[in-house]
Amino acid sequence: DISYGVLPIRFWGLGYDAAIKNSRSEYSRRAFAGSVRFLNRIVGDFYGGASLDLRYNKASSIDELARLYISQHGMTQQNAFTTGLGLNLLFDHRDNIYATNSGWFVSLLTEIRPKGLGDCGSTLWHVKAIADYFTPIWQGGVLGVDLYADLWSSATPWFMWPCIGGGSRMRGYYFGRYTDRKIATAQVELRQNIYGPFGCAVWGGVGSVFDSHKNIDFSELLPNYGLGLRINLGKNSRLRIDYGFGHHSNGLVIGMNEAF
């Protein structure tokens, strides 16, 4: 997998408190990523393997207010190249990966980014975990549950930190407002076929950003809910139009196939 992109980001600072209290600033996040992953079936639907992940990240066009927010955390670095060596475990028992009606999906990536294989000045670690469950509950109705965590070590450069929001989890939040070294989300979604190729979905969930598991504050959980339209375009293709709501945030998401 190879990707490259430049994303202008509205920026309120780092951490939950900054997103609530600070004024808006701006910078651009530039990222190149190239990865190779090998998975081997161990038994049944259980796979294991390894991965190699190369990344170059850079923050540019940083306005003065954004520089102030970053300096308050003692950070000055604006670009970094890192090499990730990972171990992958995967269990996939879904009946259809594009439009799942039943089954489990569990994925765990543990990754180390050695100091000697990059230029960020420190060895980093990274863990990404996903657990999904789907079950039919009545005619045309499917209930899906999604748990997700993206965790980076304390030495990770600020412009590599994960953000709440996007097209799959915490839909309706502006990507980049809530950012920290670690994020975790949970959502439950009901998908219902209405007539022919048309269907709908409603969901609810919560998410959190934090710098350490020791500092998780349940009073800072971010709510998320919304509803959407589904149009089946074929056996393995579905148009998704969602509108999500959150804490002082809402937004439209248009994409292909389900969010999870």
Side-chain angles (χ1 to χ4, degrees):
D1 181 73
I2 298 175
S3 64
Y4 173 78
V6 180
L7 180 65
I9 290 183
R10 296 173 181 174
F11 182 60
W12 284 259
L14 302 170
Y16 176 88
D17 289 339
I20 297 295
K21 301 175 181 178
N22 288 351
S23 299
R24 189 182 78 187
S25 63
E26 295 181 353
Y27 79 96
S28 291
R29 178 180 288 198
R30 185 185 305 269
F32 167 82
S35 64
V36 178
R37 183 172 65 159
F38 172 79
L39 288 173
N40 184 66
R41 186 190 301 272
I42 299 175
V43 59
D45 297 314
F46 186 66
Y47 300 80
S51 63
L52 172 66
D53 184 89
L54 306 176
R55 295 191 187 187
Y56 175 75
N57 298 82
K58 181 178 181 179
S60 60
S61 303
I62 307 173
D63 70 18
E64 290 303 315
L65 190 54
R67 291 182 187 276
L68 174 63
Y69 295 155
I70 297 163
S71 65
Q72 290 172 346
H73 290 261
M75 298 183 179
T76 58
Q77 190 173 7
Q78 296 182 20
N79 63 83
F81 170 77
T82 61
T83 302
L85 307 175
L87 295 176
N88 296 262
L89 294 175
L90 181 69
F91 177 79
D92 193 349
H93 191 59
R94 294 172 293 177
D95 61 342
N96 184 324
I97 64 174
Y98 301 102
T100 309
N101 292 306
S102 64
W104 284 87
F105 174 79
V106 180
S107 173
L108 176 65
L109 167 66
T110 60
E111 187 178 60
I112 185 170
R113 295 180 175 268
K115 177 180 178 180
L117 296 179
D119 62 2
C120 73
S122 300
T123 294
L124 312 178
W125 62 261
H126 173 220
V127 175
K128 180 180 287 187
I130 304 171
D132 295 340
Y133 173 68
F134 305 90
T135 184
I137 54 175
W138 53 62
Q139 182 66 34
V142 175
L143 184 69
V145 179
D146 171 68
L147 305 177
Y148 175 82
D150 192 6
L151 315 173
W152 289 81
S153 56
S154 59
T156 304
W158 65 274
F159 48 84
M160 294 175 61
W161 293 6
C163 302
I164 288 286
S168 297
R169 296 171 177 91
M170 304 298 287
R171 285 162 278 176
Y173 278 90
Y174 179 81
F175 181 84
R177 179 161 190 166
Y178 294 90
T179 179
D180 212 324
R181 294 177 176 89
K182 301 170 177 63
I183 67 171
T185 67
Q187 60 181 330
V188 178
E189 182 168 288
L190 173 62
R191 302 165 184 168
Q192 178 67 50
N193 178 257
I194 299 175
Y195 179 78
F198 298 100
C200 65
V202 294
W203 78 86
V206 294
S208 180
V209 298
F210 48 99
D211 62 353
S212 170
H213 67 278
K214 298 178 182 179
N215 296 328
I216 297 177
D217 187 343
F218 291 101
S219 68
E220 296 179 350
L221 288 178
L222 298 166
N224 183 228
Y225 58 95
L227 69 166
L229 174 68
R230 302 291 184 269
I231 304 175
N232 286 325
L233 304 178
K235 180 180 179 181
N236 296 324
S237 184
R238 178 173 294 179
L239 177 65
R240 173 168 56 93
I241 304 173
D242 290 331
Y243 202 92
F245 301 86
H247 184 62
H248 301 305
S249 181
N250 60 84
L252 178 69
V253 176
I254 300 176
M256 295 301 297
N257 297 323
E258 295 294 355
F260 64 94

